[in-house]
Amino acid sequence: LSTRAEAEDPFAVLSLDLLLHEVAQSVKPSRVPVKVLASSPQPLVQRSPELLHALNNLLSNAVRHAGTEVSMETIVTPSEIRVAVLDDGFGFPPDLLPRLGEPMLGPARSKSDSTGLGIFIATTLIERTSGRLAFSNRPEGGARVEVRWPREAFEVIEPSGEKEF
């Protein structure tokens, strides 16, 4: 990062769990609690408007359709960084699951059937960060949206402090 970029945004790089806490704060006050579940250590990631907006869209959708709670959890493997957004609502309509993330899902059947545009925008923005989304219904009820990034494309490796000239 350049000194200018750091001056413009002192939190341009932060741990994934802190980024998720920031997104959770952006939907407060919400009608249901939002939990952030993260194991240690958390990878460092680039904070960007696209990433914040995409995760906010996914979280806002989960909050809107949840029964009593929403959680965001991180899963970090040697090759991937994943964020799952989980709610305990009714889940996605089975007929829409294969088409989620497409540009238009057709006219809304009801006021609560408003996931199409927000999910499309989130999908587009996540893809710009090298990520992919997967949508499913949880066996115990509710929806699961999982974002997966290749670790080498998404994680920010901080320099050791030595500067080359």
Side-chain angles (χ1 to χ4, degrees), residues 29-133:
S30 70
R31 63 176 199 82
V32 297
V34 176
K35 296 179 186 172
V36 175
L37 309 169
S39 58
S40 313
Q42 286 290 291
L44 295 175
V45 297
Q46 181 73 43
R47 183 179 178 272
S48 70
E50 295 86 2
L51 182 59
L52 291 169
H53 189 77
L55 292 174
N56 181 280
N57 276 7
L58 297 175
L59 182 60
S60 295
N61 189 60
V63 165
R64 186 170 45 255
H65 297 285
T68 59
E69 74 174 18
V70 171
S71 62
M72 291 189 296
E73 63 182 43
T74 65
I75 303 110
V76 180
T77 71
S79 62
E80 283 187 322
I81 296 172
R82 293 183 244 162
V83 171
V85 180
L86 312 150
D87 71 58
D88 64 351
F90 292 108
F92 295 111
D95 60 319
L96 292 185
L97 266 174
R99 298 190 331 244
L100 286 171
E102 292 179 5
M104 297 306 264
L105 294 175
R109 293 180 290 238
S110 68
K111 188 175 181 179
S112 66
D113 186 23
S114 59
T115 60
L117 186 59
I119 288 180
F120 170 67
I121 291 169
T123 300
T124 302
L125 294 173
I126 290 294
E127 287 174 352
R128 289 183 186 172
T129 67
S130 305
R132 296 285 176 256
L133 278 84

